[in-house]
Amino acid sequence: MQYSPPSWNCNPGIFRVAQNQFLSHERYALMPLILLPNLIDPEQPLAEAFPPITQTWVQKLDGLIAESDKEARRFLRRFISHEAMQRVRLEALNEHTREIQPLLGPIQRGETWGLISDAGLPCIADPGSKLVELAHQHNVPVIAVVGPSSIILALQLSGFSGQQFAFHGYLPKDKDERIKKLLLLEKLSFGAAQLWIETPYRTSAMAEELVQVLKLKTRLCIASRLGSPVPFVVSKSVNEWKKGSAKVDNNPSIFLIYNDL
């Protein structure tokens, strides 16, 4: 299948001037580490998820850092041809990576490298933050290209106040520890939304547990399949969840709870 680059509806003249200014190497004493966005759902339209500057950066990459080579290749395939992909070196950064320092070496030698997450934005609930921390320590510039974040989308769609909120990643696997954590988050949710995620196969079980553990007035939002053509977002009190059904499909989901002050 012949590669066909994504198209964006924008003024090419204005964009060309802007991208030339943005990509000018004279702006940086060293080449920057580029934080690139990724899709949060495989069916998400490219033009909806990525600003045009994403493709311009990808076309300039000497290398790409990702959680796995498989995801790196999947990402590159969306923007450049198979032939161009062969020229982009790949490095892994995940929970098994022991030495991060070597990842900065090519950038310090003047090469152009990007960093992606498996989904959404790198460094948000993602091991990439360690590399960015190291880049700052070695005076390597870091720039971020905007893109989709399931955490922020879920907060927007929940109807909960975004003035204060906290994201907690995964909750404990042990049931007793998890319930203890949920009760703590409920106390913290007064005036500050509390967000977390769960593995897709446990989404339904988590929803059922929440309606049993939380107080009736606590507001609960479950946001699933964000970025897809058919997202699922339901936000209502635990009491209302109990009256209906807490059954939800086992899809990647964000859980949020909130109480008014």
Side-chain angles (χ1 to χ4, degrees):
M1 183 175 66
Q2 186 176 5
Y3 165 74
S4 177
S7 61
W8 285 270
N9 184 20
C10 63
N11 185 314
I14 294 175
F15 174 63
R16 194 175 299 112
V17 172
Q19 76 171 8
N20 287 341
Q21 293 175 346
F22 188 70
L23 297 174
S24 172
H25 294 188
E26 296 176 359
R27 297 182 60 204
Y28 310 103
L30 291 172
M31 280 302 298
L33 169 64
I34 307 147
L35 310 185
L36 295 163
N38 206 347
L39 300 181
I40 56 176
D41 185 273
E43 297 181 21
Q44 189 173 19
L46 297 189
E48 178 183 300
F50 302 119
I53 198 71
T54 310
Q55 184 175 11
T56 306
W57 270 123
V58 173
Q59 290 172 337
K60 291 178 174 290
L61 292 180
D62 295 304
L64 182 64
I65 302 164
E67 294 182 61
S68 67
D69 286 0
K70 179 180 179 181
E71 184 53 47
R73 287 190 289 269
R74 182 184 293 120
F75 174 83
L76 292 171
R77 199 177 298 122
R78 298 183 178 114
F79 298 98
I80 57 178
S81 66
H82 178 75
E83 181 182 357
M85 284 174 57
Q86 305 312 304
R87 298 192 291 269
V88 181
R89 303 199 304 281
L90 306 179
E91 292 288 350
L93 176 57
N94 51 46
E95 66 272 19
H96 303 298
T97 304
R98 293 185 178 181
E99 293 293 331
I100 299 178
Q101 176 75 48
L103 298 176
L104 281 185
I107 303 173
Q108 293 172 310
R109 292 191 293 270
E111 295 185 8
T112 302
W113 280 70
L115 171 67
I116 63 169
S117 175
D118 279 353
L121 301 177
C123 307
I124 307 298
D126 173 83
S129 58
K130 294 294 184 182
L131 181 60
V132 172
E133 178 185 17
L134 192 64
H136 286 302
Q137 292 173 0
H138 290 269
N139 298 314
V140 172
V142 181
I143 62 172
V145 178
V146 298
S149 166
S150 57
I151 298 170
I152 299 301
L153 278 174
L155 184 60
Q156 286 180 295
L157 295 169
S158 68
F160 301 165
S161 172
Q163 286 293 103
Q164 295 186 61
F165 63 93
F167 176 70
H168 301 273
Y170 291 97
L171 300 192
K173 293 182 179 180
D174 178 78
K175 183 175 181 178
D176 291 339
E177 290 298 315
R178 187 171 60 252
I179 290 175
K180 186 186 300 184
K181 181 72 171 182
L182 285 172
L183 295 176
L184 173 61
L185 296 185
E186 188 172 38
K187 291 180 180 178
L188 296 173
S189 72
F190 284 84
Q194 306 297 308
L195 297 75
W196 67 93
I197 54 178
E198 182 55 275
T199 52
Y201 73 89
R202 278 196 45 81
T203 296
S204 182
M206 171 64 77
E208 293 177 7
E209 187 171 79
L210 290 173
V211 299
Q212 299 299 321
V213 171
L214 299 176
K215 295 178 180 178
L216 296 179
K217 290 184 178 181
T218 295
R219 293 159 65 186
L220 167 64
C221 176
I222 302 176
S224 303
R225 302 193 300 268
L226 295 174
S228 77
V230 284
F232 170 89
V233 182
V234 177
S235 183
K236 53 189 179 182
S237 70
V238 170
N239 188 43
E240 291 173 307
W241 276 101
K242 278 193 170 185
K243 290 179 180 177
S245 171
K247 288 284 186 181
V248 295
D249 294 337
N250 284 329
N251 287 297
S253 302
I254 305 283
F255 294 87
L256 308 88
I257 56 174
Y258 182 78
N259 278 283
D260 291 314
L261 286 172

